[in-house]
Amino acid sequence: MSWSWRLKVIVFYTIISVVMTSFFVLFCIPVQFIGAPYSWRYKMSEIFSYIFIYLIWVICGIKFETEGVDKLPQDAKPYIALANHQSFWENFFMQLIIPKHSWVVKQELLDIPIFGRCLKTVRPIAVDRRNSRSVVQIIKEGERKIDDGISIIMFPESTRVSVDKTVSFKVSAAKLALNAKVPIALIAHNAGLVWPKGFWFKQQGTVKVKVIEVMLPEEFANQDARELTLYIQNTINLEKNKLAELGV
């Protein structure tokens, strides 16, 4: 890894840290203090995500291209978006293509200084993966948010997975979709090729993101959760492998 590349990464993290701290002081604290509505909180997180993706593009040369985004529901009704998880990049990028939504995240993220406090402002579904009742929590809170018109984004792998590996998907997403009777958008990407798990970006390049398909509730109403999960797993894994072969 060249020193020029290391310098670019350090510059990016320095600038994004300043931006995040500024957001925390100028917006997150006041918003929590005055009890601002969710729409305000969400708009702040959306703006930050755009800034993050723009800076990582300009400073580090990590760009993106999309395919099939026009398949996503356009009627403003909530749905569940499911994607593979390889990097921290997609946490921010998904905000660019999915309308008002909430995340299912691991509880530990809320403990990260500044970032965790900012994340709390948008009230994600934060679960302890060690808790056997986490699926019940996801379904209960997920249905409540969907009833409020908020889409849900989930990574069924439950953790970041290397580009060359696959793991079994969790059934919680399928159970939520079956209970809430909302569409499921299946998405794949190859972000792990440029930013694998860890601090350092691996290389510059163009992340490829594909919306594979959108499944309507009536299309999977007669399936059980495990059968639906297996279909989701096979579909996303097949496409993510194709994108990995394309490179960046």
Side-chain angles (χ1 to χ4, degrees):
M1 186 178 294
S2 68
W3 279 107
S4 61
W5 178 247
R6 288 177 181 270
L7 181 60
K8 287 180 180 180
V9 176
I10 291 171
V11 168
F12 169 76
Y13 276 120
T14 300
I15 294 176
I16 207 66
S17 295
V18 171
V19 172
M20 181 176 289
T21 302
S22 299
F23 257 78
F24 178 69
V25 174
L26 298 176
F27 299 103
C28 293
I29 293 178
V31 157
Q32 293 184 48
F33 181 74
I34 66 175
Y38 181 80
S39 59
W40 290 21
R41 299 164 183 257
Y42 183 82
K43 179 56 67 174
M44 287 190 308
S45 67
E46 189 176 42
I47 291 172
F48 182 81
S49 292
Y50 272 94
I51 292 173
F52 185 98
I53 295 297
Y54 175 76
L55 289 177
I56 204 173
W57 182 323
V58 171
I59 298 172
C60 299
I62 298 177
K63 306 176 183 180
F64 67 86
E65 62 181 35
T66 61
E67 178 184 347
V69 174
D70 56 318
K71 295 178 182 179
L72 294 173
Q74 304 296 318
D75 56 7
K77 293 182 180 179
Y79 57 93
I80 299 172
L82 305 179
N84 59 302
H85 195 19
Q86 296 179 348
S87 167
F88 208 61
W89 180 89
E90 58 264 24
N91 289 280
F92 298 97
F93 173 78
M94 296 288 275
Q95 193 123 29
L96 278 58
I97 63 171
I98 307 297
K100 188 171 68 173
H101 62 263
S102 182
W103 290 87
V104 175
V105 303
K106 55 185 180 181
Q107 183 73 38
E108 304 95 278
L109 290 179
L110 302 184
D111 298 327
I112 299 175
I114 299 182
F115 176 81
R117 290 293 299 274
C118 290
L119 185 59
K120 284 181 182 179
T121 64
V122 289
R123 299 169 183 166
I125 302 172
V127 298
D128 182 350
R129 291 179 296 181
R130 299 165 298 181
N131 190 331
S132 61
R133 291 188 57 80
S134 61
V135 174
V136 176
Q137 178 190 351
I138 290 171
I139 294 173
K140 183 178 179 180
E141 294 188 30
E143 285 190 283
R144 187 181 305 129
K145 289 182 182 295
I146 288 170
D147 288 341
D148 289 338
I150 299 172
S151 294
I152 305 293
I153 294 179
M154 298 177 66
F155 298 131
E157 293 160 310
S158 186
T159 187
R160 281 175 287 180
V161 178
S162 300
V163 176
D164 59 344
K165 294 182 179 180
T166 58
V167 298
S168 297
F169 283 20
K170 306 300 183 185
V171 299
S172 51
K175 287 185 175 181
L176 175 57
L178 287 165
N179 279 29
K181 296 179 175 60
V182 292
I184 305 172
L186 305 185
I187 302 170
H189 62 84
N190 61 1
L193 293 177
V194 298
W195 189 3
K197 188 174 183 178
F199 176 85
W200 290 104
F201 309 142
K202 186 176 182 180
Q203 61 180 326
Q204 65 181 22
T206 301
V207 178
K208 296 172 180 62
V209 182
K210 181 175 181 179
V211 177
I212 308 166
E213 67 172 299
V214 175
M215 306 172 64
L216 300 178
E218 54 269 26
E219 296 174 352
F220 55 82
N222 295 325
Q223 298 185 43
D224 62 37
R226 295 195 178 279
E227 182 183 7
L228 179 56
T229 299
L230 185 60
Y231 175 81
I232 293 169
Q233 175 180 305
N234 291 340
T235 302
I236 291 179
N237 280 340
L238 177 63
E239 199 59 47
K240 80 158 188 176
N241 290 338
K242 290 179 181 178
L243 294 178
E245 292 175 0
L246 290 176
V248 293

